[in-house]
Amino acid sequence: MNSIPYILGFLCGLVLVALVALLLRYVFKKKNGVFCGEYDERQKAVQGCGYKYAYFTLMISVVAGALFDVWTGVKWIELFPFAVLCLWISLCVFVTYCISKDAYVALQAKRKVLILIFAISALVNLGIALMEILCGDGIITDGRLNLTSANLFTGAASLQIAIALCIRAIYDRVRGECE
């Protein structure tokens, strides 16, 4: 079981990440227009479908994980990394669906800065996971994926979103040249 200082440190880290995210959102919204919320009706309708797909994906992920645990008795992952895994699976479904339907980035937003944010997030989280694998306890403790795997999942999901945004940008550029 984790000690009280570990849990408090973890909670302080979460609060710090939330504060930094809010600060970055404020700065980028003011200066670069990255998080402009001006979506048209079509984009809002597509986002609604994306939310529905993400919700069902989350339900299926949680139930599948629970059924696997009950039927096999194999304890393959701790609770927090499992929650993070299910969260990122459903978020990737939502984001990828919205990107593919051109409804993720607002009309006035700057896509390059958004790609950069996701790429940096991927590098930081994958770097943390790699350092923990090489220098720390690894990602498996007592036969289960541990807290470090949450960084691995976050890095992989952020990378997938950055790649999806890049592919959409390339597609839009090629489509624009053809018209």
Side-chain angles (χ1 to χ4, degrees), residues 44-67:
K44 289 180 182 178
V46 169
Q47 287 174 354
C49 288
Y51 288 131
K52 178 176 69 174
Y53 295 146
Y55 175 74
F56 286 120
T57 302
L58 180 61
M59 284 190 344
I60 290 168
S61 300
V62 169
V63 170
L67 290 175

Side-chain angles (χ1 to χ4, degrees), residues 12-30 34-35 88 113-114 117-118 120-121 125 154:
C12 287
L14 284 177
V15 169
L16 182 64
V17 166
L19 291 174
V20 168
L22 289 172
L23 178 67
L24 287 175
R25 180 180 168 97
Y26 177 77
V27 168
F28 280 117
K29 187 174 185 176
K30 288 289 187 187
V34 174
F35 298 108
W88 279 115
V113 177
L114 202 56
I117 290 170
F118 279 110
I120 290 171
S121 172
N125 280 285
T154 302

Side-chain angles (χ1 to χ4, degrees), residues 113-174:
V113 177
L114 202 56
I115 292 170
L116 184 64
I117 290 170
F118 279 110
I120 290 171
S121 172
L123 289 174
V124 167
N125 280 285
L126 291 173
I128 291 169
L130 184 63
M131 283 181 10
E132 193 63 32
I133 290 168
L134 296 176
C135 303
D137 298 332
I139 62 169
I140 298 177
T141 305
D142 297 329
R144 295 183 189 181
L145 290 172
N146 61 23
L147 188 60
T148 302
S149 61
N151 285 103
L152 194 62
F153 301 148
T154 302
S158 297
L159 183 62
Q160 186 267 329
I161 293 169
I163 290 170
L165 283 166
C166 286
I167 290 170
R168 183 65 198 202
I170 292 167
Y171 173 77
D172 288 347
R173 184 175 296 154
V174 169

